[in-house]
C-alpha cells in the first residue's frame, strides 16, 4: 500500500529526464513541493499521449475509469495491485495502454500507526509505476486521474508493511510509457526490476503527523537507525 508520499522536485529537471517538450508541461500547473501527499490530492505524472509525445501533467490521485458515472467510487482506487490490475475492470484499460510514472522524493508506509519514510540512499528521485485515466462528468472538463501500482513487500520494506509501491528502473521507463505495448507483457519485468530497487532503499521511522502537516521536518528520523525496531 502507498497512501502517502513526498515530492519536492525540480519539474524542469524531470521534464528534461523524460524528454518532455516544453509545450507539453506547464510548471505553474504542477503541484507545489509537499511532504504529505495523500489520495485525492494533485500529483505530477509523466505519461505518453496518443500523439506519442511525453507529457508532464497534474493529475488527481485516485483513478476514475472513463466509464464511471461518478467521481466517488465505492472502493479506493489510489492504489492498484500489480497482480490483478490487468484483469480488474477499473484498471484493465489503463494497464493495457495508459501507464504513467509518478516521480517522488520518497514515500511512507505505516506499521500500525507508526510511519516510516522510504527513500533512495542517495536521495535520487524515485519513479513510482502508475496508471492513468481520463474522466469527466457530462460536459465538464476532462479530469486526468492516476493510481500507484503496488506489489508484495520484500526484505526491509516487508518488516514495516506487507505491500510496497512498484518502482520503475531508469532503463525500463521507455517501455513502461510506450502505449503501443500491452502492459500485461511488461508486468513480470517491472516487478522483478522494481523489487531490486526496493531492496536497496533506505528507511527510518518518523514522528506521527496529521493531514495538514507538511514540510521537510516530516521525514526527519525519529531515531537514528536504518532498520526499524518493531517489537
Amino acid at each position: 500500500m502507498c497512501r502517502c508520499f513526498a515530492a519536492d522536485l525540480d519539474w524542469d529537471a524531470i521534464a528534461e529526464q523524460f524528454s518532455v517538450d516544453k509545450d507539453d508541461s506547464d510548471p505553474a500547473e504542477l503541484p507545489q513541493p509537499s511532504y504529505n501527499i495523500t489520495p485525492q490530492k494533485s500529483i505530477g505524472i509523466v505519461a505518453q499521449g496518443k500523439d506519442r509525445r511525453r507529457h508532464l501533467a497534474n493529475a488527481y490521485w485516485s483513478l476514475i475509469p472513463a466509464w464511471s458515472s461518478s467521481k466517488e467510487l465505492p472502493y479506493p482506487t489510489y492504489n492498484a495491485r500489480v497482480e490483478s490490475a490487468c484483469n480488474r475492470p477499473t484498471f484493465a484499460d489503463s494497464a493495457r495502454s495508459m501507464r504513467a510514472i509518478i516521480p517522488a522524493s520518497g514515500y511512507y508506509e505505516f506499521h500500525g500507526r507508526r510511519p516510516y519514510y522510504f527513500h533512495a540512499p542517495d536521495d535520487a528521485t524515485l519513479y513510482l509505476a502508475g496508471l492513468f485515466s481520463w474522466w469527466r462528468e457530462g460536459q465538464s472538463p476532462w479530469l486526468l486521474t492516476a493510481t500507484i501500482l503496488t506489489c508484495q513487500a520484500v526484505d526491509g520494506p516487508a518488516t514495516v508493511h506487507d505491500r510496497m509501491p512498484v518502482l520503475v528502473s531508469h532503463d525500463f521507463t521507455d517501455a513502461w510509457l510506450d502505449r503501443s505495448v500491452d502492459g500485461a507483457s511488461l508486468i513480470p519485468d517491472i516487478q522483478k526490476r522494481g523489487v531490486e530497487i526496493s531492496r536497496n532503499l533506505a528507511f527510518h521511522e518518523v514522528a506521527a503527523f496529521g493531514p495538514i502537516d507538511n514540510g521537510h521536518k516530516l521525514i526527519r528520523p525519529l531515531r537514528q537507525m536504518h532498520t526499524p525496531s518493531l517489537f
Side-chain angles (χ1 to χ4, degrees):
M1 177 185 293
C2 180
R3 57 185 173 91
C4 188
F5 69 94
D8 187 355
L9 305 168
D10 181 341
W11 292 121
D12 287 335
I14 297 293
E16 183 175 352
Q17 289 168 19
F18 286 95
S19 300
V20 174
D21 291 340
K22 289 184 178 180
D23 293 339
D24 293 324
S25 68
D26 184 351
E29 293 184 357
L30 292 166
Q32 294 297 307
S34 175
Y35 289 83
N36 189 3
I37 302 172
T38 53
Q40 300 183 343
K41 289 186 178 179
S42 295
I43 60 175
I45 74 169
V46 178
Q48 180 178 292
K50 291 183 178 179
D51 56 5
R52 298 191 61 82
R53 295 167 68 177
R54 300 272 180 85
H55 302 263
L56 174 58
N58 187 31
Y60 174 81
W61 183 19
S62 282
L63 187 142
I64 308 171
W67 46 259
S68 178
S69 61
S70 172
K71 188 177 180 181
E72 301 300 326
L73 297 172
Y75 45 85
T77 59
Y78 56 86
N79 285 165
R81 287 178 174 260
V82 72
E83 302 91 339
S84 59
C86 293
N87 301 316
R88 287 193 60 188
T90 301
F91 304 117
D93 289 343
S94 296
R96 185 179 305 110
S97 62
M98 293 182 285
R99 299 177 299 274
I101 289 173
I102 300 167
S105 303
Y107 68 89
Y108 305 90
E109 293 291 4
F110 292 77
H111 185 77
R113 295 184 178 180
R114 294 164 59 183
Y116 290 79
Y117 182 67
F118 291 78
H119 60 103
D122 60 357
D123 286 324
T125 302
L126 299 179
Y127 297 158
L128 281 57
L131 309 175
F132 73 91
S133 178
W134 288 97
W135 177 84
R136 72 172 176 177
E137 185 174 21
Q139 298 302 311
S140 61
W142 286 97
L143 176 68
L144 179 61
T145 73
T147 187
I148 293 172
L149 287 172
T150 67
C151 62
Q152 190 70 30
V154 299
D155 296 355
T159 65
V160 177
H161 197 276
D162 64 348
R163 305 291 295 179
M164 64 184 186
V166 176
L167 302 180
V168 185
S169 60
H170 286 224
D171 61 349
F172 204 65
T173 56
D174 288 345
W176 185 249
L177 294 174
D178 189 347
R179 297 187 65 167
S180 68
V181 178
D182 190 323
S185 67
L186 302 174
I187 294 300
D189 278 342
I190 199 172
Q191 279 191 270
K192 181 179 179 180
R193 294 164 185 251
V195 162
E196 292 306 311
I197 300 172
S198 293
R199 283 194 169 113
N200 294 311
L201 292 179
F203 64 99
H204 55 264
E205 186 176 2
V206 298
F209 55 90
I212 63 173
D213 293 328
N214 205 340
H216 190 268
K217 66 180 181 180
L218 266 63
I219 66 172
R220 186 179 303 155
L222 186 63
R223 305 183 185 90
Q224 294 298 325
M225 61 180 182
H226 175 80
T227 303
S229 175
L230 301 179
F231 304 104

